[in-house]
Amino acid sequence: MTDRARVGMNLLWLRPGIVGGSEVAAVSTVGALDRFAADDVEVTLYAQRSFASAHPRLAGQLPTRTVGVPGDNRGARVVLESTWLPRAVRRDRIDVVHCYGGVVPHGLTAPSVLTLHDVQPLETGAQFQATKKAWLTRMIPSSVKRAAVVAVPSHFVRDRTVELLDADPDKIVVVPHGLDVDMTVDAGDLPDPDEIRRRFRLDAPYVLYPAITYPHKNHATLLRAFAETTRRHPRAVLVLAGGTGAAEDAVVGLAETLGVGDRIRRIGRVSTDERDVLLREAAVLAFPSRYEGFGLPVLEAFCVDTPVVASSAGSLPEVVGDAGVLVDPDDVGGWSRALVEAIDGAGSSPEASRRRAAQAARFWWRDIVPRLTGLYRRALTEPRSRR
């Protein structure tokens, strides 16, 4: 091993535009390692060719080994993780492999750090296709056992992992996702907010929810609450950003049934710059998800001093802290009242801004990266009998 640990980041699971918040977290993590840990670790990325196309700057900054995976062929990707990846890792003399997608592939001989974003497949299986659920139900427990150390983004995920898998608590370490300080810079370098408003037809105060339309993201509660909100604010707009998931048709249909289709802006995926402007300009970020292992958009909103109303489920209470409003994910009336208050300016006081800034400051990458590099060192020194 050299003075700098050679870390191989397994990103073969990452299909750009498909995996949602996990993609954002992975890209942010790799960028943070490059900025804040270049003297400690040498990172090599192992990814699908589509990753390099979607994130050319990152792939250009770091050594990146890519392989083609045809379409949505999950079986081919699993085979490559157990064949191509171990060979590439040995060829590059990698010291430790960071498996960021929740699974440690078979065939790896180097010690591994596993990032487990959540254990949702073991708890809410109805959200997943039968074959994917069966595979994850088998692979997650096996991966937790085989990893030298497991990084989870919240105490919620740590507690659920220990309880569901009877895992060694000392092996499960909380390493939150981080924030880029760049988000707090002056907005002068961002697109013109007026142009963004025109592009997305945002002609009134708006509620923003950035999430793929997966069932657990709970768009239905938000839509019903927003329909009630329009009685007080008839010109308000609900902006639904993010890719399409299994609940897309149901979301579109419910909006029409509720009679608020003309006040909904379904804008799909947006660029990072567009996201930053949308966050800054929003009256409130809504996050009604029933199950989150973390909830990075909440912190991104705090980072630009935007009020947040979030679900009281999963990890969100510990991410929100005292800086936002928590509402039961099934309480439509409570959500409507919270949205009305936010649009009315209830979260605009100096004290509310101070709390948002303080909560965001707990998650700067410069403070979190040393915790992650510490796990790499721990993996390298962990006795093989315990891996």
Side-chain angles (χ1 to χ4, degrees), residues 135-184:
W135 183 70
L136 290 173
T137 300
R138 182 177 71 254
M139 286 298 294
I140 289 176
S142 171
S143 297
V144 169
K145 288 180 181 178
R146 288 185 289 120
V149 62
V150 179
V152 295
S154 64
H155 292 281
F156 166 74
V157 177
R158 183 180 185 274
D159 292 345
R160 298 305 296 146
T161 302
V162 170
E163 181 176 349
L164 290 171
L165 301 181
D166 194 26
D168 179 359
D170 292 337
K171 188 177 182 178
I172 316 299
V173 181
V174 176
V175 181
H177 299 316
L179 282 168
D180 292 316
V181 70
D182 292 348
M183 287 193 68
T184 64

Side-chain angles (χ1 to χ4, degrees), residues 189-209:
D189 293 333
L190 295 175
D192 180 5
D194 290 337
E195 194 279 326
I196 294 293
R197 282 184 172 274
R198 286 192 297 269
R199 184 185 311 170
F200 296 122
R201 297 183 297 123
L202 306 179
D203 53 354
Y206 64 87
V207 178
L208 175 65
Y209 185 26

Side-chain angles (χ1 to χ4, degrees), residues 67-324:
V67 64
V69 179
D72 188 21
N73 193 328
R74 186 176 292 111
R77 188 260 297 168
V78 171
V79 169
L80 287 168
E81 282 189 318
S82 299
T83 55
W84 176 84
L85 178 64
R87 289 196 298 269
V89 163
R90 288 194 296 270
R91 180 193 62 218
D92 293 334
R93 295 185 295 170
I94 295 298
D95 297 313
V96 59
V97 180
H98 188 163
C99 299
Y100 203 87
V103 168
V104 177
H106 292 290
L108 291 176
T109 55
S112 59
V113 170
L114 171 68
T115 286
L116 189 61
H117 299 283
D118 58 55
V119 287
Q120 188 181 13
L122 308 181
E123 300 200 83
T124 56
Q127 309 282 3
F128 298 86
Q129 295 176 346
T131 53
K132 183 176 181 180
K133 172 179 166 52
W135 183 70
L136 290 173
T137 300
R138 182 177 71 254
M139 286 298 294
I140 289 176
S142 171
S143 297
V144 169
K145 288 180 181 178
R146 288 185 289 120
V149 62
V150 179
V152 295
S154 64
H155 292 281
F156 166 74
V157 177
R158 183 180 185 274
D159 292 345
R160 298 305 296 146
T161 302
V162 170
E163 181 176 349
L164 290 171
L165 301 181
D166 194 26
D168 179 359
D170 292 337
K171 188 177 182 178
I172 316 299
V173 181
V174 176
V175 181
H177 299 316
L179 282 168
D180 292 316
V181 70
D182 292 348
M183 287 193 68
T184 64
V185 301
D186 184 82
D189 293 333
L190 295 175
D192 180 5
D194 290 337
E195 194 279 326
I196 294 293
R197 282 184 172 274
R198 286 192 297 269
R199 184 185 311 170
F200 296 122
R201 297 183 297 123
L202 306 179
D203 53 354
Y206 64 87
V207 178
L208 175 65
Y209 185 26
I212 294 176
T213 47
Y214 292 135
H216 73 276
K217 294 297 186 179
N218 196 25
H219 287 75
T221 289
L222 180 59
L223 285 169
R224 293 188 174 97
F226 179 72
E228 293 188 8
T229 300
T230 58
R231 298 171 189 168
R232 174 74 174 268
H233 291 283
R235 295 186 64 250
V237 172
L238 174 60
V239 179
L240 301 179
T244 59
E248 179 74 18
D249 291 344
V251 168
V252 173
L254 180 58
E256 295 301 326
T257 298
L258 292 169
V260 292
D262 63 329
R263 306 312 300 164
I264 306 295
R265 304 291 183 263
R266 184 70 179 93
I267 65 174
R269 286 175 55 85
V270 297
S271 70
T272 300
D273 284 349
E274 289 171 330
R275 175 207 67 185
D276 289 351
V277 174
L278 288 167
L279 276 172
R280 289 172 183 266
E281 294 290 304
V284 57
L285 176 91
F287 212 82
S289 178
R290 297 182 184 279
Y291 193 105
E292 289 295 316
F294 192 68
L296 188 58
V298 168
L299 291 181
E300 291 171 341
F302 289 159
C303 200
V304 295
D305 197 26
T306 294
V308 168
V309 179
S311 165
S312 59
S315 63
L316 291 169
E318 64 185 279
V319 177
V320 172
D322 67 350

